[in-house]
Amino acid sequence: GWSGLNSLSRPLSAIVLQRIITFHGTACVAGFSFGIQWISIIFIFMQGMRISISSLVGQFLGKGDIKGAEDTTKAGLQFGYAFVSVVSVVGIIFSGEAISVFTTDEAVIRAGQGYLIIIFMGMFFDVLMTVYSASFNGAGNTAPPTIAAFFANWVGKISFAMITTYVFHLGINWVWAGISLSMVIEGLGLAFWHKKGHWKHKKV
């Protein structure tokens, strides 16, 4: 049930976010579309890591090996940070060139470049999101990832983007900042919840 709610909430928030981006103009819509193509490549890797960690944590907890589950989580964090560090540096440096692959329109390139730079800056918190949500899922404790994602996406990302857009009339980079803010909220929220340790004692 919790997993189903999470799967429903994320795409709904993405629809609302797309409407907010559209308010800023077609160049921003195109920049977002092109930028997310590059980010999606990273998310494919992160999803693979999520599945691996979830499976291993479930196996270790299933046989009562709590240390094995903890070590899996730690290894996931280390590997994730190493990967994101390299990708983020390269991605920020070549953000303009990455968008230029799709278009020569300067307005679109500026919007897409801003998106990539700001998202890459928040990507370190996506490591926390990926690893800890995978650990929770492996333990069969799917409520924390769903609750954290709800607050991150609706209270953080959508609310922040709406206020900066419709109330303060700020530029598109503030919408991108709202996306990174959601990563920060979700990542730190899951890290805090994970350290409580209740997931270690779920029956698997």
Side-chain angles (χ1 to χ4, degrees):
W2 283 110
S3 295
L5 287 174
N6 199 1
S7 298
L8 177 64
S9 177
R10 284 189 185 276
L12 286 177
S13 70
I15 292 171
V16 177
L17 178 68
Q18 186 70 60
R19 179 66 186 86
I20 298 171
I21 296 171
T22 303
F23 178 84
H24 290 270
T26 55
C28 296
V29 174
F32 173 71
S33 178
F34 296 148
I36 206 168
Q37 300 306 314
W38 291 108
I39 297 296
S40 295
I41 296 174
I42 300 171
F43 284 159
I44 291 172
F45 168 83
M46 300 297 273
Q47 180 63 17
M49 191 169 71
R50 186 194 305 270
I51 293 171
S52 299
I53 292 171
S54 178
S55 300
L56 287 170
V57 167
Q59 289 177 20
F60 280 120
L61 291 181
K63 61 182 181 181
D65 186 354
I66 294 177
K67 187 177 184 305
E70 292 175 333
D71 289 344
T72 298
T73 304
K74 291 177 183 177
L77 288 173
Q78 293 169 355
F79 191 70
Y81 280 132
F83 172 78
V84 166
S85 295
V86 174
V87 170
S88 294
V89 170
V90 174
I92 290 173
I93 292 174
F94 296 103
S95 55
E97 287 80 0
I99 303 300
S100 297
V101 169
F102 302 101
T103 182
T104 57
D105 188 308
E106 289 297 328
V108 175
I109 292 173
R110 283 197 303 273
Q113 184 176 18
Y115 170 80
L116 287 178
I117 291 172
I118 293 171
I119 297 306
F120 277 126
M121 290 173 65
M123 194 61 68
F124 291 94
F125 293 93
D126 189 66
V127 175
L128 295 176
M129 289 168 48
T130 299
V131 173
Y132 287 135
S133 64
S135 182
F136 279 122
N137 289 335
N141 190 10
T142 53
T146 301
I147 295 171
F150 178 85
F151 277 97
N153 284 292
W154 292 100
V155 179
K157 177 174 63 182
I158 298 301
S159 296
F160 186 85
M162 291 182 72
I163 290 171
T164 55
T165 295
Y166 300 124
V167 178
F168 294 107
H169 306 290
L170 299 176
I172 190 63
N173 283 339
W174 289 89
V175 177
W176 308 151
I179 300 174
S180 275
L181 176 63
S182 72
M183 294 182 185
V184 174
I185 294 173
E186 189 170 352
L188 292 180
L190 287 174
F192 174 77
W193 213 324
H194 194 269
K195 288 185 184 301
K196 287 187 173 183
H198 301 308
W199 61 276
K200 303 176 187 177
H201 308 292
K202 292 277 292 185
K203 283 191 175 183
V204 181

PDB file of all heavy atoms in Angstrom, residues 125 128-129 132 136 144 148 182-196:
ATOM      1  N   PHE A 125      22.524  14.413  -2.378  1.00  0.00           N
ATOM      2  CA  PHE A 125      21.437  14.006  -1.491  1.00  0.00           C
ATOM      3  C   PHE A 125      20.583  12.922  -2.120  1.00  0.00           C
ATOM      4  O   PHE A 125      19.881  12.194  -1.422  1.00  0.00           O
ATOM      5  CB  PHE A 125      20.585  15.232  -1.131  1.00  0.00           C
ATOM      6  CG  PHE A 125      21.314  16.224  -0.280  1.00  0.00           C
ATOM      7  CD1 PHE A 125      21.995  17.286  -0.855  1.00  0.00           C
ATOM      8  CD2 PHE A 125      21.334  16.085   1.107  1.00  0.00           C
ATOM      9  CE1 PHE A 125      22.683  18.202  -0.073  1.00  0.00           C
ATOM     10  CE2 PHE A 125      22.019  16.991   1.899  1.00  0.00           C
ATOM     11  CZ  PHE A 125      22.703  18.050   1.312  1.00  0.00           C
ATOM     12  N   LEU A 128      21.660   9.635  -0.760  1.00  0.00           N
ATOM     13  CA  LEU A 128      20.988   9.287   0.500  1.00  0.00           C
ATOM     14  C   LEU A 128      19.593   8.733   0.220  1.00  0.00           C
ATOM     15  O   LEU A 128      19.185   7.719   0.798  1.00  0.00           O
ATOM     16  CB  LEU A 128      20.871  10.524   1.392  1.00  0.00           C
ATOM     17  CG  LEU A 128      22.163  11.154   1.910  1.00  0.00           C
ATOM     18  CD1 LEU A 128      21.846  12.417   2.702  1.00  0.00           C
ATOM     19  CD2 LEU A 128      22.929  10.168   2.786  1.00  0.00           C
ATOM     20  N   MET A 129      18.862   9.409  -0.676  1.00  0.00           N
ATOM     21  CA  MET A 129      17.526   8.952  -1.048  1.00  0.00           C
ATOM     22  C   MET A 129      17.557   7.526  -1.576  1.00  0.00           C
ATOM     23  O   MET A 129      16.780   6.667  -1.151  1.00  0.00           O
ATOM     24  CB  MET A 129      16.947   9.861  -2.140  1.00  0.00           C
ATOM     25  CG  MET A 129      16.551  11.240  -1.699  1.00  0.00           C
ATOM     26  SD  MET A 129      16.228  12.317  -3.126  1.00  0.00           S
ATOM     27  CE  MET A 129      15.157  11.291  -4.130  1.00  0.00           C
ATOM     28  N   TYR A 132      19.099   4.755   1.227  1.00  0.00           N
ATOM     29  CA  TYR A 132      18.262   4.531   2.411  1.00  0.00           C
ATOM     30  C   TYR A 132      16.868   4.033   2.047  1.00  0.00           C
ATOM     31  O   TYR A 132      16.305   3.194   2.757  1.00  0.00           O
ATOM     32  CB  TYR A 132      18.180   5.806   3.252  1.00  0.00           C
ATOM     33  CG  TYR A 132      19.462   6.102   3.998  1.00  0.00           C
ATOM     34  CD1 TYR A 132      19.993   7.378   4.016  1.00  0.00           C
ATOM     35  CD2 TYR A 132      20.137   5.101   4.683  1.00  0.00           C
ATOM     36  CE1 TYR A 132      21.169   7.659   4.695  1.00  0.00           C
ATOM     37  CE2 TYR A 132      21.310   5.362   5.371  1.00  0.00           C
ATOM     38  CZ  TYR A 132      21.822   6.649   5.373  1.00  0.00           C
ATOM     39  OH  TYR A 132      22.992   6.914   6.052  1.00  0.00           O
ATOM     40  N   PHE A 136      15.274   0.530   3.349  1.00  0.00           N
ATOM     41  CA  PHE A 136      13.939   0.406   3.933  1.00  0.00           C
ATOM     42  C   PHE A 136      13.091  -0.609   3.163  1.00  0.00           C
ATOM     43  O   PHE A 136      12.406  -1.439   3.758  1.00  0.00           O
ATOM     44  CB  PHE A 136      13.229   1.761   3.930  1.00  0.00           C
ATOM     45  CG  PHE A 136      13.631   2.663   5.069  1.00  0.00           C
ATOM     46  CD1 PHE A 136      14.163   3.920   4.823  1.00  0.00           C
ATOM     47  CD2 PHE A 136      13.465   2.264   6.390  1.00  0.00           C
ATOM     48  CE1 PHE A 136      14.534   4.757   5.860  1.00  0.00           C
ATOM     49  CE2 PHE A 136      13.827   3.100   7.453  1.00  0.00           C
ATOM     50  CZ  PHE A 136      14.362   4.345   7.183  1.00  0.00           C
ATOM     51  N   PRO A 144       8.480   4.797   5.574  1.00  0.00           N
ATOM     52  CA  PRO A 144       9.385   5.955   5.612  1.00  0.00           C
ATOM     53  C   PRO A 144       9.704   6.554   4.244  1.00  0.00           C
ATOM     54  O   PRO A 144       9.625   7.784   4.088  1.00  0.00           O
ATOM     55  CB  PRO A 144      10.639   5.399   6.302  1.00  0.00           C
ATOM     56  CG  PRO A 144      10.128   4.308   7.172  1.00  0.00           C
ATOM     57  CD  PRO A 144       9.028   3.680   6.382  1.00  0.00           C
ATOM     58  N   ALA A 148       8.555  10.420   3.412  1.00  0.00           N
ATOM     59  CA  ALA A 148       9.629  11.376   3.107  1.00  0.00           C
ATOM     60  C   ALA A 148       9.459  11.942   1.706  1.00  0.00           C
ATOM     61  O   ALA A 148       9.640  13.148   1.474  1.00  0.00           O
ATOM     62  CB  ALA A 148      10.992  10.695   3.246  1.00  0.00           C
ATOM     63  N   SER A 182      13.996  19.380  -2.838  1.00  0.00           N
ATOM     64  CA  SER A 182      13.269  18.140  -2.537  1.00  0.00           C
ATOM     65  C   SER A 182      14.233  16.985  -2.291  1.00  0.00           C
ATOM     66  O   SER A 182      13.981  16.114  -1.451  1.00  0.00           O
ATOM     67  CB  SER A 182      12.298  17.804  -3.671  1.00  0.00           C
ATOM     68  OG  SER A 182      12.972  17.366  -4.834  1.00  0.00           O
ATOM     69  N   MET A 183      15.354  16.969  -3.020  1.00  0.00           N
ATOM     70  CA  MET A 183      16.371  15.938  -2.794  1.00  0.00           C
ATOM     71  C   MET A 183      16.969  16.071  -1.394  1.00  0.00           C
ATOM     72  O   MET A 183      17.191  15.075  -0.699  1.00  0.00           O
ATOM     73  CB  MET A 183      17.484  16.054  -3.835  1.00  0.00           C
ATOM     74  CG  MET A 183      17.079  15.769  -5.260  1.00  0.00           C
ATOM     75  SD  MET A 183      18.527  15.899  -6.351  1.00  0.00           S
ATOM     76  CE  MET A 183      17.753  15.659  -7.949  1.00  0.00           C
ATOM     77  N   VAL A 184      17.225  17.315  -0.997  1.00  0.00           N
ATOM     78  CA  VAL A 184      17.806  17.571   0.327  1.00  0.00           C
ATOM     79  C   VAL A 184      16.844  17.105   1.419  1.00  0.00           C
ATOM     80  O   VAL A 184      17.236  16.399   2.359  1.00  0.00           O
ATOM     81  CB  VAL A 184      18.124  19.067   0.504  1.00  0.00           C
ATOM     82  CG1 VAL A 184      18.582  19.349   1.929  1.00  0.00           C
ATOM     83  CG2 VAL A 184      19.184  19.512  -0.491  1.00  0.00           C
ATOM     84  N   ILE A 185      15.575  17.497   1.305  1.00  0.00           N
ATOM     85  CA  ILE A 185      14.581  17.132   2.319  1.00  0.00           C
ATOM     86  C   ILE A 185      14.411  15.627   2.409  1.00  0.00           C
ATOM     87  O   ILE A 185      14.436  15.048   3.505  1.00  0.00           O
ATOM     88  CB  ILE A 185      13.229  17.797   1.999  1.00  0.00           C
ATOM     89  CG1 ILE A 185      13.332  19.317   2.134  1.00  0.00           C
ATOM     90  CG2 ILE A 185      12.132  17.259   2.924  1.00  0.00           C
ATOM     91  CD1 ILE A 185      12.097  20.060   1.679  1.00  0.00           C
ATOM     92  N   GLU A 186      14.263  14.982   1.257  1.00  0.00           N
ATOM     93  CA  GLU A 186      14.037  13.538   1.254  1.00  0.00           C
ATOM     94  C   GLU A 186      15.270  12.785   1.733  1.00  0.00           C
ATOM     95  O   GLU A 186      15.170  11.838   2.524  1.00  0.00           O
ATOM     96  CB  GLU A 186      13.629  13.068  -0.140  1.00  0.00           C
ATOM     97  CG  GLU A 186      13.173  11.627  -0.191  1.00  0.00           C
ATOM     98  CD  GLU A 186      12.543  11.244  -1.512  1.00  0.00           C
ATOM     99  OE1 GLU A 186      12.320  12.148  -2.352  1.00  0.00           O
ATOM    100  OE2 GLU A 186      12.265  10.054  -1.718  1.00  0.00           O
ATOM    101  N   GLY A 187      16.442  13.203   1.264  1.00  0.00           N
ATOM    102  CA  GLY A 187      17.673  12.532   1.652  1.00  0.00           C
ATOM    103  C   GLY A 187      17.942  12.627   3.140  1.00  0.00           C
ATOM    104  O   GLY A 187      18.221  11.615   3.810  1.00  0.00           O
ATOM    105  N   LEU A 188      17.850  13.830   3.696  1.00  0.00           N
ATOM    106  CA  LEU A 188      18.106  14.024   5.126  1.00  0.00           C
ATOM    107  C   LEU A 188      17.020  13.371   5.978  1.00  0.00           C
ATOM    108  O   LEU A 188      17.310  12.813   7.039  1.00  0.00           O
ATOM    109  CB  LEU A 188      18.200  15.514   5.442  1.00  0.00           C
ATOM    110  CG  LEU A 188      19.408  16.255   4.859  1.00  0.00           C
ATOM    111  CD1 LEU A 188      19.376  17.725   5.260  1.00  0.00           C
ATOM    112  CD2 LEU A 188      20.722  15.611   5.302  1.00  0.00           C
ATOM    113  N   GLY A 189      15.772  13.432   5.501  1.00  0.00           N
ATOM    114  CA  GLY A 189      14.688  12.795   6.243  1.00  0.00           C
ATOM    115  C   GLY A 189      14.875  11.288   6.351  1.00  0.00           C
ATOM    116  O   GLY A 189      14.708  10.703   7.427  1.00  0.00           O
ATOM    117  N   LEU A 190      15.252  10.670   5.252  1.00  0.00           N
ATOM    118  CA  LEU A 190      15.487   9.224   5.266  1.00  0.00           C
ATOM    119  C   LEU A 190      16.709   8.859   6.096  1.00  0.00           C
ATOM    120  O   LEU A 190      16.721   7.834   6.782  1.00  0.00           O
ATOM    121  CB  LEU A 190      15.646   8.707   3.839  1.00  0.00           C
ATOM    122  CG  LEU A 190      14.357   8.638   3.013  1.00  0.00           C
ATOM    123  CD1 LEU A 190      14.668   8.252   1.568  1.00  0.00           C
ATOM    124  CD2 LEU A 190      13.376   7.646   3.621  1.00  0.00           C
ATOM    125  N   ALA A 191      17.749   9.704   6.029  1.00  0.00           N
ATOM    126  CA  ALA A 191      18.953   9.443   6.819  1.00  0.00           C
ATOM    127  C   ALA A 191      18.625   9.472   8.313  1.00  0.00           C
ATOM    128  O   ALA A 191      19.078   8.614   9.081  1.00  0.00           O
ATOM    129  CB  ALA A 191      20.025  10.483   6.488  1.00  0.00           C
ATOM    130  N   PHE A 192      17.835  10.465   8.724  1.00  0.00           N
ATOM    131  CA  PHE A 192      17.434  10.575  10.133  1.00  0.00           C
ATOM    132  C   PHE A 192      16.613   9.368  10.557  1.00  0.00           C
ATOM    133  O   PHE A 192      16.845   8.774  11.619  1.00  0.00           O
ATOM    134  CB  PHE A 192      16.629  11.862  10.341  1.00  0.00           C
ATOM    135  CG  PHE A 192      16.048  12.007  11.709  1.00  0.00           C
ATOM    136  CD1 PHE A 192      16.843  12.390  12.781  1.00  0.00           C
ATOM    137  CD2 PHE A 192      14.697  11.754  11.933  1.00  0.00           C
ATOM    138  CE1 PHE A 192      16.302  12.513  14.057  1.00  0.00           C
ATOM    139  CE2 PHE A 192      14.149  11.871  13.201  1.00  0.00           C
ATOM    140  CZ  PHE A 192      14.952  12.254  14.262  1.00  0.00           C
ATOM    141  N   TRP A 193      15.642   8.988   9.723  1.00  0.00           N
ATOM    142  CA  TRP A 193      14.764   7.863  10.031  1.00  0.00           C
ATOM    143  C   TRP A 193      15.546   6.559  10.059  1.00  0.00           C
ATOM    144  O   TRP A 193      15.310   5.684  10.896  1.00  0.00           O
ATOM    145  CB  TRP A 193      13.667   7.790   8.966  1.00  0.00           C
ATOM    146  CG  TRP A 193      12.347   7.290   9.475  1.00  0.00           C
ATOM    147  CD1 TRP A 193      12.127   6.338  10.417  1.00  0.00           C
ATOM    148  CD2 TRP A 193      11.050   7.735   9.058  1.00  0.00           C
ATOM    149  NE1 TRP A 193      10.798   6.136  10.597  1.00  0.00           N
ATOM    150  CE2 TRP A 193      10.099   6.991   9.787  1.00  0.00           C
ATOM    151  CE3 TRP A 193      10.602   8.672   8.133  1.00  0.00           C
ATOM    152  CZ2 TRP A 193       8.726   7.150   9.620  1.00  0.00           C
ATOM    153  CZ3 TRP A 193       9.234   8.838   7.961  1.00  0.00           C
ATOM    154  CH2 TRP A 193       8.318   8.091   8.700  1.00  0.00           C
ATOM    155  N   HIS A 194      16.489   6.438   9.142  1.00  0.00           N
ATOM    156  CA  HIS A 194      17.279   5.213   9.051  1.00  0.00           C
ATOM    157  C   HIS A 194      18.141   5.015  10.294  1.00  0.00           C
ATOM    158  O   HIS A 194      18.309   3.888  10.774  1.00  0.00           O
ATOM    159  CB  HIS A 194      18.170   5.266   7.808  1.00  0.00           C
ATOM    160  CG  HIS A 194      18.782   3.953   7.426  1.00  0.00           C
ATOM    161  ND1 HIS A 194      20.015   3.534   7.892  1.00  0.00           N
ATOM    162  CD2 HIS A 194      18.329   2.947   6.618  1.00  0.00           C
ATOM    163  CE1 HIS A 194      20.290   2.350   7.397  1.00  0.00           C
ATOM    164  NE2 HIS A 194      19.299   1.972   6.621  1.00  0.00           N
ATOM    165  N   LYS A 195      18.671   6.108  10.813  1.00  0.00           N
ATOM    166  CA  LYS A 195      19.557   6.007  11.985  1.00  0.00           C
ATOM    167  C   LYS A 195      18.798   5.583  13.244  1.00  0.00           C
ATOM    168  O   LYS A 195      19.408   5.130  14.215  1.00  0.00           O
ATOM    169  CB  LYS A 195      20.263   7.344  12.216  1.00  0.00           C
ATOM    170  CG  LYS A 195      21.339   7.649  11.176  1.00  0.00           C
ATOM    171  CD  LYS A 195      22.099   8.908  11.502  1.00  0.00           C
ATOM    172  CE  LYS A 195      23.105   9.234  10.402  1.00  0.00           C
ATOM    173  NZ  LYS A 195      24.086   8.150  10.210  1.00  0.00           N
ATOM    174  N   LYS A 196      17.485   5.724  13.247  1.00  0.00           N
ATOM    175  CA  LYS A 196      16.708   5.257  14.389  1.00  0.00           C
ATOM    176  C   LYS A 196      16.807   3.748  14.543  1.00  0.00           C
ATOM    177  O   LYS A 196      16.662   3.220  15.655  1.00  0.00           O
ATOM    178  CB  LYS A 196      15.246   5.677  14.232  1.00  0.00           C
ATOM    179  CG  LYS A 196      15.011   7.170  14.453  1.00  0.00           C
ATOM    180  CD  LYS A 196      13.514   7.474  14.447  1.00  0.00           C
ATOM    181  CE  LYS A 196      13.258   8.911  14.841  1.00  0.00           C
ATOM    182  NZ  LYS A 196      11.800   9.222  14.913  1.00  0.00           N
TER     183      LYS A 196
END
